[in-house]
């Protein structure tokens, strides 16, 4: 049987590094900012250009594979995970950070077959850190094996999350009420890097104990999910059920004790599934 997806994994590493160099270079120049689902859901030419570079390179090598890319879906392409070999790509995770020069921007590339995630690559390109994980073969940051933290006492944990780009009062209320309850457990601290993929790699390398978010997309978390699992962590739905890649919500943690304690505090609000009927997002660019 050999290692059927090794060439795909190598291709992912290569194109992630190339994409990271394009992002770094673009960050040195003037960045034209547009918006998508809200006035704070930013997208730039670099997001779109980098996604074209990644999908172009992978499609050339694997013409019969399927692709789910953040910016392709925003333009109306379907977001359906089938049994076919499928790449799940966020070309620039942390676009707001990229626009502001805040130093956490990641290229996130995952690969699934029969709806099972085979491997994930998260290249934190401003830190020049390549996080990677393959099914059953461990998780690494560059060449160093990484493992989740062994903390079981929630009072000795750092929890990482994001507030997303939906600024409706009802959702903001629930997000901050959840964060307040977690903070007052108390935990050692709350953090947010601004990119879900990076947050999950911080769980995987033991820098924080758990990441949760409602409102993320499959492309934000698919690669990080493999890396967390391969680093010995756990993945769950925010209601304690099984992790569902397309549900737009998740908890990733170093162990079940921490995960279940966090889940108790999460105030759940609805988010349309990624595989719900296509909703083309209208991009708006100020002149
Ligand atoms: O930067 P992108 O790829 O758009 O993803 C982020 C998303 O925009 C934010 O709303 C989420 O809170 C982050 O977790 C995503 O990484
Ligand atoms: Mg993105």
């Amino acid at each position: 049987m050999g290692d059927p997806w090794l060439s795909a994994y190598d291709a992912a590493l290569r194109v992630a590094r190339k994409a990271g160099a394009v992002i770094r270079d673009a960050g040195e120049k003037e960045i034209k900012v547009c918006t998508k689902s809200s006035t704070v859901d930013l997208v730039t030419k670099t997001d779109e250009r980098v996604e074209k570079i990644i999908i172009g390179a992978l499609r050339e090598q694997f013409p019969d594979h399927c692709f789910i890319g953040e910016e392709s879906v925003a333009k109306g392409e379907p977001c359906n995970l089938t049994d076919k070999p499928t790449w799940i790509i966020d070309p620039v995770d942390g676009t707001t950070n990229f626009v502001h020069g805040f130093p956490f921007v990641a290229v996130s590339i995952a690969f699934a077959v029969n709806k099972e995630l085979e491997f994930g690559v998260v290249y934190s390109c401003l830190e020049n850190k390549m996080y990677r994980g393959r099914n059953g073969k461990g998780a690494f940051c560059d060449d160093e094996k990484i493992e989740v933290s062994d903390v079981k006492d929630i009072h000795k944990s750092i929890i990482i999350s994001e507030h997303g780009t939906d600024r409706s009062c009802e959702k903001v209320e629930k997000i901050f009420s959840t964060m307040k309850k977690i903070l007052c457990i108390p935990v050692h601290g709350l953090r947010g890097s601004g990119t879900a993929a990076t947050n999950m790699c911080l769980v995987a390398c033991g820098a924080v104990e758990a990441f949760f978010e409602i409102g993320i997309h499959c492309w934000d978390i698919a690669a990080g999910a493999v890396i967390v699992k391969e680093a010995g962590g756990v993945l769950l739905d925010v209601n304690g059920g099984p992790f569902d890649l397309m549900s737009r919500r998740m908890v990733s943690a170093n162990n079940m004790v921490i995960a279940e304690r966090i889940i108790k505090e999460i105030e759940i609000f609805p988010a349309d599934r990624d595989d719900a009927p296509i909703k083309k997002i209208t991009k708006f660019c100020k002149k």
Side-chain angles (χ1 to χ4, degrees):
M1 185 61 179
D3 196 346
W5 305 114
L6 182 58
S7 62
Y9 176 64
D10 289 341
L13 291 168
R14 228 180 1 260
V15 78
R17 205 170 281 282
K18 180 181 173 190
V22 171
I23 293 169
R24 282 196 299 267
D25 180 58
E28 300 300 313
K29 301 181 176 88
E30 196 214 343
I31 300 170
K32 186 168 170 10
V33 183
C34 299
T35 59
K36 293 188 295 188
S37 62
S38 79
T39 57
V40 296
D41 182 12
L42 309 185
V43 61
T44 71
K45 280 251 170 290
T46 302
D47 294 75
E48 295 170 341
R49 181 169 161 239
V50 168
E51 184 162 307
K52 281 201 182 82
I53 291 169
I54 295 170
I55 293 180
L58 295 172
R59 187 169 266 143
E60 189 181 346
Q61 193 172 348
F62 308 101
D64 59 345
H65 287 187
C66 298
F67 293 86
I68 295 175
E70 176 177 4
E71 308 315 335
S72 309
V73 171
K75 291 188 181 119
E77 289 206 13
C79 183
N80 293 324
L81 188 57
T82 65
D83 288 345
K84 289 182 74 174
T86 304
W87 295 87
I88 306 168
I89 298 161
D90 186 342
V92 181
D93 191 43
T95 298
T96 302
N97 291 351
F98 169 65
V99 167
H100 286 263
F102 190 76
F104 296 102
V105 180
V107 179
S108 181
I109 300 174
F111 180 67
V113 182
N114 298 324
K115 298 191 181 77
E116 287 296 316
L117 291 165
E118 283 291 333
F119 60 73
V121 167
V122 174
Y123 180 42
S124 179
C125 59
L126 303 188
E127 294 181 285
N128 190 26
K129 285 183 176 179
M130 183 69 81
Y131 293 93
R132 54 197 175 86
R134 291 180 75 196
N135 229 349
K137 297 182 186 292
F140 298 84
C141 178
D142 298 327
D143 293 329
E144 190 189 335
K145 193 159 175 10
I146 55 176
E147 282 181 344
V148 294
S149 138
D150 59 6
V151 167
K152 285 194 167 51
D153 180 352
I154 189 74
H155 300 95
K156 297 194 171 79
S157 71
I158 291 184
I159 306 303
I160 201 161
S161 187
E162 300 294 336
H163 43 64
T165 48
D166 185 318
R167 293 290 189 274
S168 63
C169 293
E170 182 243 347
K171 287 184 184 172
V172 169
E173 197 54 54
K174 284 185 182 286
I175 289 166
F176 280 91
S177 168
T178 298
M179 295 227 194
K180 183 176 160 196
K181 289 193 293 181
I182 290 172
L183 196 59
C184 298
I185 288 175
V187 295
H188 274 177
L190 279 181
R191 299 288 185 274
S193 73
T195 126
T198 304
N199 290 340
M200 294 177 80
C201 291
L202 291 168
V203 174
C205 69
V208 301
E209 276 65 46
F211 163 69
F212 72 94
E213 188 172 351
I214 300 175
I216 27 100
H217 291 279
C218 59
W219 45 77
D220 295 314
I221 60 170
V226 182
I227 295 167
V228 166
K229 185 173 73 61
E230 287 302 317
V234 296
L235 303 164
L236 291 153
D237 189 345
V238 291
N239 62 7
F243 170 60
D244 174 352
L245 179 62
M246 308 305 268
S247 68
R248 296 198 54 207
R249 60 194 216 179
M250 61 106 56
V251 175
S252 55
N254 60 333
N255 57 54
M256 283 302 282
V257 173
I258 297 287
E260 285 166 354
R261 183 62 189 82
I262 292 297
I263 285 166
K264 273 193 197 142
E265 309 299 349
I266 297 176
E267 295 187 24
I268 297 175
F269 53 84
D272 292 342
R273 291 181 58 87
D274 275 322
D275 48 11
I278 302 171
K279 271 194 342 270
K280 191 168 174 305
I281 294 171
T282 313
K283 190 171 83 169
F284 174 74
C285 304
K286 272 204 190 81
K287 291 276 174 270

